[in-house]
């Protein structure tokens, strides 16, 4: 099948003057619109949408990854690979790497080829996450939208068969929080009263606990929830959750982490995936329109 590249272009509104030392919101000039696109192609795609790939057992998965930077400035991206929601290493440049850094020129693009081997039989999910400007922390307690920081590609890999091994789902209740009907994921200290309690840049005390929140739609029943601290997956296990009621509202989960010692500032990335291990293409190639989004947090810097 002919290789096809599917780029998801996320509309970004950019500031005409970017601060190189710290992140600034890019929406200060509404007349300027720029785009960042993340694409992945591989010869084993079953259908031309590029969501589902069929391989034989023992066969390597060798995707070509491209980032399109339609912005008037150089941008650096850190790439992460999660297989079945666990961070995994890929082969690149003769090394096994958990993260790969790519720099893109103004109004330019970058491309790299990686290899993933040793995939067991059955259905798997691969989540590719690109983090823009990972070395630029928040210098103030400001709100930077996830659309300005995070980009992703989600794919289903069928290795020999389409057998699914579902994880154990934990049942959770749907609650409410004043003004919480927002799509992105956010973090608060325990028992928040409103969205004003959302954390952006904050000081972490050893042993502190937090609450992770996200808005849920009535039609979505199951989620996978995980996190990255800097360039490593958080030690807290991946949460696979199922709602007790099919309604909209706020899902809140306890969240604990410890940033690495000896590092003055750390980045925290929260990831919520709709309908984990479900296919968006059925066996006949029909697009099922199942909710299949991945949500991220506003940029978070931890002292």
């Amino acid at each position: 099948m002919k290789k096809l590249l599917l780029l998801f272009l996320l509309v970004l509104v950019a500031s005409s003057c970017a601060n190189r030392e710290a992140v600034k919101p890019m929406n200060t000039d509404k007349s300027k619109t720029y785009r960042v696109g993340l694409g992945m192609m591989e010869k084993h795609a079953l259908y031309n949408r590029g969501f589902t790939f069929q391989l034989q057992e023992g066969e390597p998965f060798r995707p070509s990854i491209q980032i399109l930077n339609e912005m008037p400035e150089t941008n650096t991206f850190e790439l992460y690979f999660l297989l079945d929601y666990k961070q995994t290493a890929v082969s690149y440049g003769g090394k096994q790497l958990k993260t790969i850094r790519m720099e893109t020129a103004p109004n330019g693009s970058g491309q790299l080829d990686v290899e993933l081997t040793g995939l067991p039989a059955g259905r798997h999910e691969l989540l590719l996450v690109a983090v823009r400007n990972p070395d630029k922390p928040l210098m103030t307690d400001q709100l930077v939208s996830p659309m300005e920081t995070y980009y992703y590609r989600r794919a289903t890999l069928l290795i020999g068969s389409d057998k699914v091994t579902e994880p154990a789902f934990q049942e959770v209740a749907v609650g409410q929080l004043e003004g919480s009907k927002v799509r992105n994921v956010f973090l608060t200290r325990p028992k928040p009263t409103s969205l004003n309690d959302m954390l952006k840049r904050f000081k972490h005390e050893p042993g502190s606990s937090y609450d992770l929140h996200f808005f849920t739609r009535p039609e979505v029943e199951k989620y996978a929830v995980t996190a990255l601290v800097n360039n490593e997956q958080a030690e807290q296990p991946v949460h696979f959750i199922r709602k007790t009621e099919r309604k909209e509202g706020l899902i809140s989960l306890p969240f604990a982490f410890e940033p690495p010692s000896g590092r003055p500032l750390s980045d925290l990335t929260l990831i919520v995936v709709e309908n984990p291990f479900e296919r968006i293409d059925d066996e006949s190639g029909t697009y099922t329109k199942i909710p299949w989004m991945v949500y991220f947090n506003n940029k978070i810097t931890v002292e």
Side-chain angles (χ1 to χ4, degrees):
M1 178 180 293
K2 182 180 179 180
K3 294 183 179 180
L4 293 164
L5 174 64
L6 181 61
L7 285 176
F8 281 96
L9 296 179
L10 302 178
V11 176
L12 304 176
V13 187
S15 166
S16 60
C17 181
N19 187 326
R20 294 292 180 180
E21 302 302 322
V23 171
K24 284 188 177 181
M26 295 192 294
N27 59 356
T28 55
D29 186 349
K30 299 294 184 181
S31 67
K32 295 181 182 295
T33 300
Y34 306 110
R35 295 178 174 85
V36 170
L38 177 63
M40 182 169 66
M41 65 180 182
E42 213 269 355
K43 66 180 181 180
H44 293 95
L46 282 182
Y47 316 111
N48 59 14
R49 285 181 292 271
F51 292 125
T52 308
F53 301 84
Q54 176 78 63
L55 294 87
Q56 299 299 317
E57 289 187 51
E59 195 172 10
F61 182 64
R62 295 185 176 121
S64 181
I65 297 164
Q66 183 178 29
I67 294 181
L68 177 66
N69 176 34
E70 291 188 348
M71 302 176 77
E73 61 187 85
T74 298
N75 274 303
T76 300
F77 297 88
E78 196 86 52
L79 301 179
Y80 302 85
F81 304 84
L82 278 73
L83 180 67
D84 296 338
Y85 304 101
K86 295 180 181 179
Q87 188 177 13
T88 189
V90 298
S91 179
Y92 175 68
K95 299 179 180 179
Q96 288 291 311
L97 302 173
K98 284 188 175 182
T99 66
I100 300 174
R101 184 158 294 205
M102 180 189 292
E103 186 173 284
T104 55
N107 298 304
S109 62
Q111 182 171 320
L112 55 84
D113 299 327
V114 301
E115 181 176 278
L116 190 60
T117 58
L119 297 168
R123 182 192 300 181
H124 301 277
E125 284 212 358
L126 179 64
L127 180 62
L128 167 63
V129 178
V131 180
R132 174 180 167 267
N133 293 336
D135 297 326
K136 293 187 178 181
L138 297 177
M139 302 309 290
T140 62
D141 192 35
Q142 66 190 91
L143 182 65
V144 176
S145 163
M147 288 185 66
E148 300 177 29
T149 306
Y150 301 107
Y151 313 91
Y152 75 91
R153 283 285 282 116
R154 182 179 176 184
T156 299
L157 308 183
L158 308 179
I159 312 301
S161 72
D162 193 15
K163 184 179 179 180
V164 185
T165 302
E166 275 209 346
F169 285 89
Q170 169 194 357
E171 291 197 342
V172 297
V174 179
Q176 299 292 331
L177 181 67
E178 181 185 345
S180 65
K181 197 171 182 178
V182 292
R183 291 296 184 199
N184 57 296
V185 193
F186 62 98
L187 192 73
T188 68
R189 300 192 187 276
K191 299 181 180 179
T193 58
S194 74
L195 271 180
N196 293 328
D197 296 320
M198 179 190 301
L199 295 173
K200 299 175 278 292
R201 176 174 171 137
F202 66 96
K203 184 174 179 58
H204 170 80
E205 298 294 341
S208 296
S209 60
Y210 304 91
D211 287 341
L212 181 156
H213 313 271
F214 62 94
F215 181 76
T216 177
R217 297 180 285 164
E219 63 270 26
V220 186
E221 182 184 13
K222 296 184 293 185
Y223 295 90
V225 182
T226 190
L228 297 168
V229 181
N230 298 319
N231 57 4
E232 293 284 343
Q233 191 166 20
E235 291 184 4
Q236 179 167 306
V238 180
H239 287 287
F240 293 102
I241 61 173
R242 178 186 285 112
K243 297 188 312 191
T244 55
E245 300 177 84
R246 282 186 172 270
K247 67 177 185 180
E248 71 175 29
L250 193 74
I251 289 179
S252 300
L253 300 171
F255 181 78
F257 75 102
E258 291 296 333
S261 60
R263 182 164 177 164
L265 298 175
S266 292
D267 291 322
L268 182 61
T269 300
L270 310 175
I271 306 171
V272 173
V273 184
E274 294 179 330
N275 290 311
F277 299 105
E278 297 288 345
R279 288 180 59 173
I280 199 167
D281 295 313
D282 66 17
E283 292 79 0
S284 65
T286 302
Y287 183 62
T288 65
K289 297 184 180 179
I290 185 173
W292 222 54
M293 294 289 291
V294 180
Y295 298 100
F296 299 89
N297 52 290
N298 55 286
K299 189 173 179 70
I300 296 176
T301 297
V302 184
E303 300 178 30

